Amino acid sequence: MFIQTEATPTPDSLKFLPGRTVAGTGMHDFADATAAALSPLAEAVFAVDGVLRVYLGPDFVTVTKRPDLTWPHLKPFVLGAIMDHYVAGRPVLLEGAADADEDCGGG
């Protein structure tokens, strides 16, 4: 599995494109690990130390990191979490999560 990355206008955020459907037609913003309980994929990404926010789009995952960390350090761990999630065949969202408020973390 090859996962591409794209820069975003925010230096602490990076877009990961797994080449597979992520949230389909929905979008889900997880402001913290507690909110990520609705998404096994978001939970896996939050398990990486230094991840502050996870946003699931139709075909991408945008990850926001702590400002004191660098992407060259963090990126391999995020890539691994996303890859492991898809290889294991886990769902992106739990049943009923797609019907939940798309802003899962508030602000």
Side-chain angles (χ1 to χ4, degrees):
M1 176 175 189
F2 180 72
I3 301 172
Q4 295 180 359
T5 58
E6 286 182 9
T8 70
T10 306
D12 288 332
S13 296
L14 192 62
K15 184 186 279 190
F16 294 81
L17 299 132
R20 299 183 183 191
T21 300
V22 177
T25 58
M27 292 186 236
H28 301 273
D29 186 10
F30 299 98
D32 56 39
T34 302
L38 296 172
S39 169
L41 175 55
E43 280 187 316
V45 175
F46 270 112
V48 175
D49 188 37
V51 170
L52 293 180
R53 186 175 212 115
V54 176
Y55 181 83
L56 306 179
D59 62 350
F60 64 87
V61 179
T62 298
V63 177
T64 303
K65 65 171 184 63
R66 284 192 344 230
D68 61 314
L69 297 175
T70 62
W71 280 116
H73 168 76
L74 200 61
K75 185 175 162 181
F77 296 104
V78 174
L79 287 167
I82 294 170
M83 187 175 301
D84 289 349
H85 171 86
Y86 278 101
V87 169
R90 290 185 217 108
V92 172
L93 297 167
L94 297 177
E95 224 173 285
D99 301 326
D101 181 10
E102 289 184 349
D103 179 11
C104 301

